[in-house]
């Protein structure tokens, strides 16, 4: 079905959420996907699905994932093509954290045009790095129920204890500043060209410069920055 004749209540396009770890893009992407009943996609989920199914692509990517290395673009793009050409993506989908490089962005643009989609909407969370660092390093997780807190933004009623079950709150090893800071620097270096590419193409482009609530986007109109 051509994009122009699709039902108006459908998302009817690709919406791409980009931003550094801890910016909140994952929460927003899931909320929007739920609102429109559209698939929520991430390359991590694709990798895990293919590996669990033992598909040819999964067998190729499994050793790389086991080593903790970055998956080559050649494999990433094959998985992306396979996923968005499934029937459940025919009325649009929400991408969480992809594309991250200029080559990936260019590939996705061509793929969307080939499949008849309207121009994608890119939502870029361009938060202050110090704020992002504070959001991540302030996270605490309940050892019992997994509830997430933030000692700066959403502290528990009793320091170090979960409000729900009294469980001990811990900091995950990968939320420590010595781990997070290099990750944020690597992200900025990797994605700088990609973000500039989106901002100068025919993509609808929205920049978010402040933290948002979990229900910020569903049902609202986006105002693209051109």
């Amino acid at each position: 079905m051509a994009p122009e004749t699709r039902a108006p209540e459908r998302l009817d396009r690709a919406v791409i959420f980009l931003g550094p770890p801890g910016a909140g893009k994952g929460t927003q992407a899931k909320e929007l996907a739920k609102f429109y009943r559209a698939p929520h996609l991430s390359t991590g989920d694709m990798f895990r699905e293919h590996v669990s199914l033992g598909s040819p692509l999964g067998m190729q990517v499994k050793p790389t994932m086991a080593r903790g290395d970055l998956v080559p673009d050649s494999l990433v793009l094959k998985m992306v093509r396979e996923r968005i050409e499934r029937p459940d993506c025919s009325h649009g989908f929400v991408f969480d954290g992809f594309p991250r490089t200029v080559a990936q962005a260019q590939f996705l643009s061509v793929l969307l045009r080939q499949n008849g989609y309207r121009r994608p909407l890119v939502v870029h969370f361009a938060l202050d790095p110090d704020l992002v660092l504070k959001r991540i390093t302030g996270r605490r997780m309940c050892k019992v129920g997994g509830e997430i807190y933030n000692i700066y933004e959403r502290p528990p009623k009793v320091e170090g204890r979960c409000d729900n079950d009294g469980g001990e709150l811990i900091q995950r090893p990968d939320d420590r500043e010595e781990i997070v800071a290099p990750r944020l620097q690597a992200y900025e270096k990797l994605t700088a060209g990609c973000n500039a590419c989106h901002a100068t193409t025919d993509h609808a482009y929205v920049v978010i410069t402040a933290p948002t609530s979990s229900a910020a986007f569903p049902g609202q109109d986006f105002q693209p920055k051109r």
Side-chain angles (χ1 to χ4, degrees):
M1 184 182 293
E4 291 75 11
T5 62
R6 290 172 179 163
E9 68 271 14
R10 303 282 190 176
L11 184 58
D12 198 26
R13 66 168 66 193
V15 179
I16 300 165
F17 283 84
L18 300 176
K25 64 183 182 299
T27 298
Q28 298 292 350
K30 290 175 183 176
E31 289 287 341
L32 191 69
K34 180 180 178 181
F35 182 82
Y36 283 102
R37 299 188 298 277
H40 167 257
L41 309 181
S42 74
T43 53
D45 289 342
M46 294 178 198
F47 298 155
R48 287 185 286 272
E49 179 189 21
H50 279 275
V51 169
S52 67
L53 293 174
S55 71
L57 280 173
M59 297 302 290
Q60 286 181 274
V61 78
K62 186 175 181 179
T64 304
M65 293 179 65
R67 292 192 302 268
D69 296 337
L70 290 176
V71 178
D73 265 4
S74 59
L75 295 180
V76 173
L77 300 181
K78 286 181 182 178
M79 289 192 179
V80 168
R81 176 186 291 275
E82 186 275 334
R83 182 63 186 90
I84 71 173
E85 290 182 348
R86 294 183 192 177
D88 66 334
C89 288
S90 63
H91 292 292
F93 55 90
V94 180
F95 235 133
D96 181 353
F98 179 92
R100 290 190 174 189
T101 67
V102 172
Q104 291 176 355
Q106 292 172 340
F107 172 88
L108 184 60
S109 292
V110 171
L111 190 58
L112 293 176
R113 287 196 298 270
Q114 290 175 344
N115 284 275
Y117 287 102
R118 297 162 56 196
R119 65 175 183 164
L121 171 61
V122 180
V123 182
H124 177 205
F125 285 75
L127 304 189
D128 182 274
D130 290 337
L131 173 60
V132 176
L133 183 63
K134 187 176 181 179
R135 297 186 79 184
I136 298 177
T137 57
R139 284 193 301 216
R140 299 294 185 272
M141 182 180 70
C142 175
K143 290 180 66 175
V144 178
E147 182 77 10
I148 299 296
Y149 296 85
N150 189 290
I151 60 175
Y152 304 113
E153 300 175 353
R154 184 178 173 257
K157 295 175 182 178
V158 177
E159 184 177 354
R161 292 293 170 182
C162 177
D163 294 347
N164 295 335
D165 51 35
E168 180 186 358
L169 300 183
I170 62 172
Q171 183 181 41
R172 297 184 305 188
D174 57 353
D175 283 348
R176 298 195 309 270
E177 183 170 353
E178 62 268 28
I179 302 296
V180 174
R183 282 175 55 206
L184 294 177
Q185 292 170 2
Y187 171 83
E188 293 296 333
K189 183 177 181 180
L190 176 67
T191 62
C194 182
N195 293 331
C197 177
H198 285 303
T200 56
T201 64
D202 64 347
H203 299 172
Y205 188 67
V206 177
V207 178
I208 307 297
T209 57
T212 55
S213 70
S214 62
F217 292 127
Q220 297 186 10
D221 292 327
F222 293 100
Q223 296 299 319
K225 176 183 177 181
R226 297 311 312 265

